Amino acid sequence: MGELDTKIDAAESALAQVVRESRCLITKMQNERALLEEQVDRTMAYLSPIRRLPSEMLRDIFLWSFEEHPCCAWVLAAIRLVTTQNASADTIRLWLERSGDTVPLDIEIFRQVINPVSDTESSSRRHRRSLSRTPSPPPWSLSFSHNQSLATHYVNVIPHTPLTQAGVTILPPAQTPILLHPHETWIPAPHLSDRPTVNPSRASLHWGHIAIYYLTEQMHRWERFIFRFDKQFSSMGALKSISGDAPLLREFEVSSAEAAFYPEWQWLPNAPSNTTVVLPKLQNVTLQYTPFKWSSPMFRTNLHTLNLRALPTSHLPLDRILYIVANNLELENLTLHFQGVLPAVLPLSPIKLPRLKKFHIGGHTLLSQLIDELSLPALTHLSLDFELRNPIEDTILNLLSISGAPHLTHLSIAYGTASNSASFYYGTGGVTITWTGLFPEMPHLVSLRAGGTPLEPLLAALAPPDEESDQATGWFCPKLQELGMRNCHAHSEGVVKLVQLVEARNPEIGYGTTPQVNGVTATRLTKLEMYDCAILGEDVVQWLENRIAEVICTEPDFDR
């Protein structure tokens, strides 16, 4: 019996030795094959047709390209893929396969539909538009205002023009400098408007599911993931499959320009609080009109930039919104917009964000209570867009006081596209901004934008003191360079006060200087925006353009 066991052990050892030797031989042959494949690839690259061109000709081609397009170096170094929702999603699979297995991925998908001007538009509206120097900002401006510049160490911004058809642009790997934007039309490529319109098909119905499936398989390589769309589409539910670890991910954004109603997706922003999620490098999160949970681990990664625009159906208690902020004390840029807010369940605790420079907040009036709990000593940009019931200047002054009088340079009040003339309530029992009480605390203000406020008090506060007034007050906001107003209702004296303000701050070159008040000379205005405020007339607009470098004016609707 023992002898038989010994023979069995010897046979098994011999078999194991044969297996080891065979595996070693197979591994050696696989390495040799990989080396040969690499040599073949290098040989094919060496034999590339472009190498047959003389160096002098290549140099001239590059010089000519730079003369016509200064950014051609970034375009020529990029891999460019332009597709539509009706195209095959297998193209994405192809690019992912070509990108290899280790290169970090920089992914951008933009899905936009811009409708042409309706043929039924009234002639009076067309006439008013023709008098406007520049149209009002598009509906995307508020939602995506903090990501207009897409420049990173991988990506460079390229000039663009409006898109006229639905399109999707996908960024392949970020190993080479790339910017694929749906508005690019100036580089040599088939223009989207030249392509025939494709009716909805199975490709459009399932495009999102197929594309997101391939992309999610490579989530471990994501370094930057941006998905933006302006309207709901049939396969948008595919986004809920985005879940798992992303050890390289630095920036994550899923944004919709249209508010919609979603079920509670089980995706990364909705992960339970006790879920272990590997996101060690995540610094930038933007979720706009997409579902998320206040307790998601995604919001506990010490973010530097956070942009949240909640769904209209979302109603969070105020203390839970503050909880999100409290878990990211290194924030430098914070944007919060909640239409539905409930009173706090737990007591609110003061929070200091020592590095926060840009703070944008809007939506429900209860959010003003959140501002009262914040200390922002590094604040430079403040944007408020509330349904206000109380004087907003008290909230602002309290914030500046608690924060130790930071050097605020940019202020926006009810100027976003989410606001309108009803954002502030004026008249009997309404709320009026006391600019003369607010401006003395903002000596460093460079840019001011206001919406839904009476025009005359604002312009009067920025003008120089009257001879009969107390000269000790001096100039308010002497460093102001940009002034924007939207839906600021003007009365009979509105246009007169505007001209007086510009005459005082921007005297005609060679015919006078800005008057000094208490030894302070006001900075000249460089930009003036007026959207739907007053009917100025072409003569006034021309006069303003002669005094101010950039003037943007649109006239109010007569039927408003």
Side-chain angles (χ1 to χ4, degrees), residues 469-512:
S469 65
D470 183 6
Q471 291 290 328
T473 58
W475 283 100
F476 288 146
C477 308
K479 299 182 179 180
L480 189 68
Q481 299 180 25
E482 299 182 0
L483 176 62
M485 295 162 285
R486 185 189 302 277
N487 291 317
C488 292
H489 315 302
H491 299 291
S492 58
E493 296 297 318
V495 178
V496 175
K497 288 187 177 298
L498 174 64
V499 171
Q500 292 174 349
L501 169 64
V502 176
E503 176 71 19
R505 288 190 175 248
N506 288 41
E508 188 174 1
I509 302 297
Y511 291 91

Side-chain angles (χ1 to χ4, degrees), residues 480-483 506 523-528 547-551:
L480 189 68
Q481 299 180 25
E482 299 182 0
L483 176 62
N506 288 41
T523 303
R524 293 179 66 92
L525 293 174
T526 60
K527 184 175 182 179
L528 174 66
R547 298 295 183 99
I548 303 175
E550 184 176 359
V551 177

Side-chain angles (χ1 to χ4, degrees), residues 44 143 257 278 321 328 334 372 395 459 472 477 502 508 528 556-557:
M44 295 301 295
S143 298
V278 179
I321 299 176
N328 297 278
L334 175 61
D372 294 336
T395 300
L459 299 178
C477 308
V502 176
E508 188 174 1
L528 174 66
D557 290 342

Side-chain angles (χ1 to χ4, degrees), residues 18 71 108 157 313 321-322 340 364 400 453 503 533:
V18 172
C71 297
E108 289 186 5
V157 174
T313 54
I321 299 176
L322 193 63
H364 198 277
L400 296 178
T453 179
E503 176 71 19
C533 295

Side-chain angles (χ1 to χ4, degrees), residues 22-40:
S22 298
R23 286 179 177 173
C24 289
L25 182 60
I26 292 173
T27 301
K28 182 179 179 181
M29 291 188 293
Q30 289 176 339
N31 292 337
E32 291 178 354
R33 183 177 63 181
L35 182 60
L36 288 174
E37 291 176 348
E38 183 179 356
Q39 292 176 351
V40 169

Side-chain angles (χ1 to χ4, degrees), residues 10 30 37 66 84 155 179 202 208 247 250 277 366 387-388 408:
Q30 289 176 339
E37 291 176 348
F66 272 104
T84 68
V155 181
L179 177 66
R202 292 187 63 185
R250 297 180 181 274
V277 179
L366 283 178
E387 300 171 0
L388 292 177
L408 191 67

Side-chain angles (χ1 to χ4, degrees), residues 1 16 39 101 154 237 294 332 364 371 440 442 452 458 479 499:
M1 185 68 177
Q39 292 176 351
D101 298 324
Y154 290 131
W294 63 276
E332 299 177 3
H364 198 277
I371 298 177
M442 300 180 179
L458 172 59
K479 299 182 179 180
V499 171

Side-chain angles (χ1 to χ4, degrees), residues 177-199:
I178 301 169
L179 177 66
L180 302 183
H181 197 286
H183 297 304
E184 296 174 23
T185 56
W186 61 274
I187 62 178
H191 196 284
L192 288 175
S193 61
D194 297 333
R195 302 173 183 174
T197 302
V198 182
N199 293 325

